[in-house]
Amino acid sequence: MFEARLAQGALLKKVVEAIKDLIEDANFDCNSSGFSLQAMDSSHVSLVALSLRADGFEHYRCDRNVSMGMKLASLSKILKCANGDDAITMKSEDNGDTITFMFESPEQERLSEFDLKLMDIDSEHLGIPDNEYDATVKLPAAEFQRIVKDLSTIGDTVEISVTKDAVKFGTTGDIGNANIMCRQNKAADKPDESTEIDINEAVSLTFALRYLNSFAKATPLSTHAVLKLSKELPILVEYHIPEVGRLAFYLAPKIED
Amino acid sequence: SSRQRDISSFFGGA
């Protein structure tokens, strides 16, 4: 059987809220090392990779590898019934056709159980190489969210250019154009507000803002978003979930015809 | 004009 208890149930709520508009349904893969998901959006432009480590759970048991297909909208409906401070336990029997979500309030005076029907999902699993990237930018998650939101009011795509000291986000649209530059800033007294740039080579790539806006729904999960870029490769936008794992998004670049 | 690449063209099937 599979059973996993997450004391901070809110994390699971936030993860599902972050991906449910990008992905309709997906297989959640459980094995002894943890709980993970890999899925492409319906247009096959982006890829979501979630991994929650077994040791990030308060209790974790997975007797055999299982892949549980779920409709994200249904999962979201159920998780919305959990309070933000509830612990969430997921349970499923081997070869079962449902997964049970149990919500426990902090004082355990309220216990609720919701069963979600599992579904068979035929999904293509991609092999993601562990790339060295030309540039890595770690910036406050809320700042990244604001940048992609603001630029979306002007244009549909963003050119992200990283140099040694700064990252520049630029867009062009019918009404004009916009550029936002963030300088490296390693303020030791305010680590949550730091912007750090690690660069092997200057890089400049163009991406659809619609997807970056969607990725930014993961903002509540982490203080920072980490952007990793290499010439002509998909951008990796990572949100580290402290002590539990990470939620990563890959987005294929736009190329000039 | 620019063209959107497909994500699976980078990572391929595993």
Side-chain angles (χ1 to χ4, degrees):
Chain A
M1 73 176 293
F2 165 70
E3 187 171 86
R5 184 179 199 273
L6 199 53
Q8 303 175 64
L11 284 182
L12 198 59
K13 285 162 70 84
K14 290 174 187 172
V15 164
V16 171
E17 286 314 292
I19 62 177
K20 74 170 171 51
D21 295 334
L22 201 58
I23 288 161
E24 207 165 305
D25 41 45
N27 283 317
F28 287 80
D29 298 311
C30 312
N31 59 35
S32 55
S33 62
F35 186 76
S36 65
L37 167 152
Q38 193 203 87
M40 281 183 278
D41 73 280
S42 59
S43 310
H44 289 199
V45 170
S46 68
L47 177 79
V48 175
L50 165 72
S51 88
L52 305 178
R53 294 188 310 271
D55 64 16
F57 290 84
E58 215 174 25
H59 163 75
Y60 190 92
R61 175 181 163 186
C62 184
D63 299 336
R64 40 175 288 195
N65 296 1
V66 281
S67 191
M68 296 182 289
M70 299 183 219
K71 188 177 272 301
L72 271 298
S74 310
L75 177 57
S76 163
K77 277 183 195 170
I78 285 182
L79 292 179
K80 279 195 173 140
C81 301
N83 280 329
D85 56 358
D86 281 355
I88 298 181
T89 301
M90 300 181 275
K91 275 190 290 191
S92 185
E93 298 296 333
D94 288 344
N95 303 316
D97 55 4
T98 61
I99 179 169
T100 300
F101 291 89
M102 192 172 86
F103 309 142
E104 287 170 72
S105 64
E107 302 298 325
Q108 299 197 324
E109 73 280 19
R110 187 175 197 267
L111 291 174
S112 27
E113 273 193 8
F114 290 76
D115 293 336
L116 174 65
K117 285 182 196 157
L118 296 176
M119 46 196 293
D120 282 326
I121 296 166
D122 199 17
S123 69
E124 189 186 353
H125 208 80
L126 301 182
I128 305 168
D130 201 7
N131 279 328
E132 276 276 316
Y133 284 87
D134 290 340
T136 300
V137 178
K138 183 179 175 186
L139 77 172
E143 178 66 28
F144 177 64
Q145 183 175 43
R146 179 171 174 193
I147 290 169
V148 293
K149 178 172 165 267
D150 287 350
L151 294 184
S152 301
T153 63
I154 306 291
D156 297 329
T157 63
V158 58
E159 184 181 19
I160 305 179
S161 308
V162 192
T163 56
K164 193 161 64 71
D165 305 309
V167 53
K168 200 177 84 176
F169 300 85
T171 192
T172 302
D174 292 342
I175 65 164
N177 54 60
N179 277 292
I180 299 172
M181 187 184 68
C182 296
R183 285 208 179 85
Q184 173 147 264
N185 158 33
K186 293 182 184 173
D189 54 332
K190 290 179 183 167
D192 286 0
E193 294 172 25
S194 68
T195 296
E196 295 171 41
I197 295 171
D198 185 11
I199 190 168
N200 293 321
E201 205 173 324
V203 60
S204 185
L205 285 162
T206 300
F207 300 97
L209 277 164
R210 181 161 82 83
Y211 290 92
L212 296 176
N213 267 298
S214 190
F215 302 167
K217 289 182 181 156
T219 301
L221 283 168
S222 195
T223 59
H224 285 82
V226 181
L227 318 181
K228 296 188 177 190
L229 299 107
S230 278
K231 248 181 221 84
E232 293 168 18
L233 284 184
I235 185 175
L236 165 56
V237 181
E238 256 181 326
Y239 292 86
H240 290 269
I241 308 170
E243 291 165 30
V244 180
R246 67 162 201 161
L247 179 56
F249 301 93
Y250 296 84
L251 175 60
K254 291 239 177 192
I255 50 165
E256 290 303 319
D257 267 335
Chain B
S1 72
S2 58
R3 184 164 59 86
Q4 176 63 63
R5 292 282 306 267
D6 188 305
I7 194 81
S8 57
S9 68
F10 292 97
F11 298 142

